[in-house]
Structures are given as structure tokens and as C-alpha cells.
Amino acid sequence: MVQAHPSPLLSTPAFAPEHLVGDLEQLALILTQSLDAVPTKSWARPTEKHGAGWTMHETLAHVTATAELYLQAIEKALTGERFARVNVTRRYELPALQKEDIAARHYLPPTQLLEHLAQALRQTAQLIPMLSNVDLMRPTAIAFFDRPPTIIELIGTQLVHPAIIHAQQLTAAAGRPPLWNTYVPDFLQRNLTRLFQMLTFLYWRERERDLHATVNYDIQGPAGGQWTLTLTPQGAYADKGHVERPTLTIWHPGAETMCSCFTKESSLRRALVLGRMRFRGDLRLAQRLYDLFEPA
């Protein structure tokens, strides 16, 4: 089994317990305020072009189900009880699980889904002050990623999943900009750090078995910074800062454009033409990179 990267997460602002608590509560408020006023007809609209993808209602059901799933996984890891969903052990089984979770919530109106989502985030926030550093670094029983995330990593992912991964889908059909456009810089920057850490267990080693690469990210603007992803046959690792002589360097003019490119709201070609992205180094890896972290 691949071991978790020994980065001192607890000394990183993004994973400091007080910031996790505050950001979970802030995200619950942002989601409630931003989505509560969405017109009823918008919830039935698809979230992708040409009528493709989930509807906004299905997206909200998925985000809610996932937040609740992560909370359950954290609680089970703390008590040592068996986690009922551990029978899903391979990533290609995830779409079926997602479809099942969405179907189980199709009858719930958006207002009720929003209440459940906010409740799951706030329950996690209430747990954190009671956890020791040893508790936070315990592995969870989620086995469908490249490695089981620790509790602190899963808390970060519970934030990133609605705050970045689905932030555009949760607003697109209502004709609104992605949620990340509304975040204050510190909140967005911390979620970028959590995003890069999340990628370390989302990595699909099977898709590039012999890959050895380092990817420097240079993100400008008040919410930006420098991060490095290291990709190896043994796993992926994330760190703040840059390494010398990377395989690939990716530049974005701002954190919002990085989110847009990562979630494929903006295609690679369009991002390059519009100056939302520049890269230097391995062209093949640049074209392939985000496929190595897709959930399923």
C-alpha cells in the first residue's frame, strides 16, 4: 500500500484546525446564500453544453451525498466501526455509486438538499476541535482512491468538492458565474492547497505506470501561490513552492482561471488562446495531466 506523504499538513495554514472549522462554516453559508435564490426552473437544466451532464438538481444531490459520505467515513474512522460503503473498492465503481446516491435524493427539493449539505459541513466543523493530531492523521476506510485519505485530508476534500470541483456546475444552468469568483483570496488560496493535496490520492497511477515527473504551478494574483506535484509509480505528492528543473511548469494569471482550467470549464486550447494558461516543458504531459486525476 502507498503510504501518505509525510508532509507536515498540520503546520500548513490550509490544514490548521481553526481554518478548517472556519472555512467549513463559511462554505456552508456561501452555498446557502448563493444557491437559495436560484430560480426553480434552473434546477432542472443540464450543467454542460448541448444538454449534457447532470442537471443542477442532480449536481446538488451528488455534492450533498458526497459531503454526507465523507462525514460518515470520518466518524467511522474515529470509532473504528466498519464503514458500510467500503464494498466500493475500485474507482470505476464510483459512477454507479454516484448514480445510486443521486437517485435516492431525487425527491428532495433543492432547499432541503442545501440544508443537508450545510448540516454535513457544520457537523464536520463541530467534530474538529475534539480531535487530536493523532486522530486527524488516521487513515479512513475509503478504498476507491489511489490510497485511503487521512481524516484531515478528507476534511479538506469535503471543502474542495463543492467549493472548486463542482462550483461551476452548481451555478452554470442559472446563468451565474462559478462560486469561486465570490471567494475572498485567503479562502480560495487555502482551498487550492487542499486541492493539490487531494490530487495525491486521486492520482491514477494505472494510467501512467512508469511516469516520473514534477509539475510546478505558478498562480498569480492575491489568491495565488506556488505549488509542486510530484508524480511517481509509487504515488503522487504535493508541496508548497517550486522544484528546480521540473518536467512541466504551468502558469495561470489568477486562481480563478486555474480553477476554470482544472474543472475543464475552459478547454486547454481556449485557455492558451485567451492567455488564461501558459506552460513550459513536456507538451504530452500538459495535454494528459488532468486525465490522471479524474474521479472515475
Side-chain angles (χ1 to χ4, degrees):
M1 178 185 296
V2 178
Q3 298 299 312
H5 185 39
S7 293
L9 289 184
L10 291 169
S11 64
T12 303
F15 289 95
E18 63 272 20
H19 283 149
L20 289 171
V21 170
D23 288 352
L24 282 162
E25 293 174 345
Q26 183 175 349
L27 180 60
L29 184 61
I30 289 171
L31 290 167
T32 301
Q33 291 180 339
S34 299
L35 302 180
D36 193 43
V38 169
T40 302
K41 61 183 180 182
S42 296
W43 290 106
R45 293 173 180 164
T47 58
E48 298 177 19
K49 295 177 181 178
H50 311 300
W54 290 331
T55 64
M56 271 184 62
H57 187 273
E58 290 169 331
T59 301
L60 180 58
H62 164 68
V63 169
T64 301
T66 303
E68 293 174 336
L69 177 74
Y70 289 166
L71 174 59
Q72 292 167 14
I74 291 166
E75 292 172 334
K76 297 299 183 184
L78 290 169
T79 61
E81 297 176 68
R82 183 180 181 276
F83 184 40
R85 308 303 285 272
V86 294
N87 57 319
V88 178
T89 59
R90 301 182 187 278
R91 211 171 319 190
Y92 63 74
E93 297 174 302
L94 273 178
L97 174 64
Q98 293 166 351
K99 184 177 181 180
E100 175 186 323
D101 284 340
I102 290 171
R105 291 163 177 80
H106 78 279
Y107 66 92
L108 293 175
T111 52
Q112 196 167 347
L113 285 171
L114 275 172
E115 289 174 6
H116 290 182
L117 174 56
Q119 182 180 18
L121 296 174
R122 289 179 175 132
Q123 282 183 275
T124 301
Q126 291 165 6
L127 269 179
I128 294 172
M130 297 183 286
L131 305 182
S132 68
N133 289 353
V134 172
D135 289 332
L136 289 168
M137 296 308 293
R138 288 187 188 184
T140 63
I142 291 184
F144 44 72
F145 295 132
D146 188 57
R147 61 170 173 82
T150 60
I151 286 177
I152 198 169
E153 288 177 314
L154 202 55
I155 294 172
T157 303
Q158 194 184 37
L159 276 155
V160 168
H161 189 249
I164 294 181
I165 303 302
H166 292 290
Q168 187 268 339
Q169 288 177 301
L170 285 169
T171 59
R176 298 182 178 183
L179 289 174
W180 56 65
N181 284 4
T182 69
Y183 303 155
V184 297
D186 286 353
F187 178 82
L188 180 51
Q189 186 183 66
R190 287 193 294 271
N191 278 303
L192 285 183
T193 296
R194 295 163 187 148
L195 171 66
F196 284 112
Q197 188 63 30
M198 181 187 75
L199 296 183
T200 67
F201 53 85
L202 285 187
Y203 185 44
W204 281 85
R205 284 181 293 151
E206 300 90 337
R207 292 180 174 176
E208 289 283 355
R209 291 185 180 275
D210 300 320
L211 181 62
H212 289 268
T214 51
V215 183
N216 281 348
Y217 281 84
D218 187 356
I219 302 173
Q220 302 295 301
Q226 295 182 335
W227 290 266
T228 298
L229 279 176
T230 301
L231 310 177
T232 77
Q234 290 73 44
Y237 314 104
D239 288 294
K240 290 294 290 286
H242 278 177
V243 298
E244 295 184 4
R245 293 187 287 277
T247 311
L248 175 67
T249 297
I250 296 176
W251 175 93
H252 292 284
E256 295 83 0
T257 53
M258 187 276 177
C259 294
S260 178
C261 292
F262 180 82
T263 59
K264 298 185 177 179
E265 182 202 11
S266 179
S267 68
L268 176 62
R269 182 187 298 275
R270 179 175 174 80
L272 291 171
V273 169
L274 295 178
R276 295 176 179 174
M277 175 184 186
R278 294 202 300 261
F279 63 85
R280 182 175 66 253
D282 189 327
L283 173 61
R284 178 183 176 277
L285 180 59
Q287 294 173 320
R288 176 76 167 142
L289 185 61
Y290 292 139
D291 291 335
L292 301 179
F293 300 101
E294 286 187 326

